[in-house]
Amino acid sequence: KASYMMVTGIDPGKTGAVATIDTESKELTVSPLQTDSLEDLRSQLSLLCEPSPLIYIEDVGRGMPGNSSSSMTVFARHNGHLDAFLAVYCDPELLTYVRPVKWMDGVLTGVRPKGRTARDARKRFILAEMESLWRRSFSLSTADAVAIATYGLKEWKKLQQ
């Protein structure tokens, strides 16, 4: 039971992002996931893990229906890089994989659009919910990471009780 902690949410993927919440100040920092090179990704994740944060990473290991096999292969390779770097630089006890339905149910208040064809509408819905909650603007590519970090913050608060 830690009284002070950083909570990080990671939305993996080429257009993914990292969001970190300081549990003391409630300051939120958001940045795109560095996917241009392995060195960029390694640098970003090694800095991320220095304060030993709780890390919640979206578990999308089953792939997205409708994606081509080549895009799923690239995504799987990228997730492997994420897993490897997090295993090296972060405390594995502080790493939690969370399914999209779990973090969405944990932080979204409205009825979200469902189904594969509603993916863009769902992204816009998540963006609107997070902008309302945090009272600031985000992009479609960072909103999921913010929501995952927000879910992680709620889980951390439960541990503090």
Side-chain angles (χ1 to χ4, degrees):
K1 191 170 171 179
S3 61
Y4 169 74
M5 183 70 68
M6 301 294 276
V7 178
T8 297
I10 300 177
D11 174 23
K14 189 166 179 68
T15 59
V18 175
T20 300
I21 302 168
D22 182 313
T23 61
E24 191 171 272
S25 69
K26 301 299 185 264
E27 181 182 341
L28 171 70
T29 57
V30 184
S31 62
L33 197 56
Q34 301 298 315
T35 59
D36 292 337
S37 73
L38 286 179
E39 182 57 30
D40 291 343
L41 181 61
R42 185 200 64 77
S43 294
Q44 183 180 30
L45 294 179
S46 66
L47 291 173
L48 168 77
C49 294
E50 282 182 20
S52 294
L54 287 174
I55 297 177
Y56 290 82
I57 184 168
E58 186 176 42
D59 180 6
V60 287
R62 295 175 183 96
M64 294 295 292
N67 282 359
S68 70
S69 59
S70 62
S71 68
M72 286 175 62
T73 301
V74 169
F75 186 74
R77 185 180 311 118
H78 176 71
N79 273 358
H81 296 152
L82 275 174
D83 287 343
F85 289 136
L86 290 171
V88 168
Y89 294 109
C90 300
D91 181 348
E93 294 292 316
L94 301 177
L95 183 62
T96 301
Y97 288 86
V98 60
R99 298 286 300 150
V101 70
K102 189 169 184 175
W103 67 255
M104 284 184 203
D105 287 347
V107 297
L108 302 179
T109 57
V111 178
R112 63 185 182 274
K114 295 188 190 250
R116 191 175 72 82
T117 57
R119 186 157 68 184
D120 287 342
R122 190 168 43 252
K123 283 280 222 190
R124 286 190 297 280
F125 177 80
I126 293 167
L127 175 65
E129 289 254 335
M130 290 301 102
E131 287 180 339
S132 173
L133 177 69
W134 288 96
R135 294 182 174 84
R136 63 183 262 202
S137 296
F138 302 106
S139 68
L140 281 174
S141 61
T142 60
D144 282 4
V146 172
I148 295 164
T150 302
Y151 169 83
L153 180 63
K154 287 184 173 196
E155 293 297 302
W156 176 82
K157 286 179 179 177
K158 288 178 194 175
L159 294 174
Q160 301 310 300
Q161 296 174 355

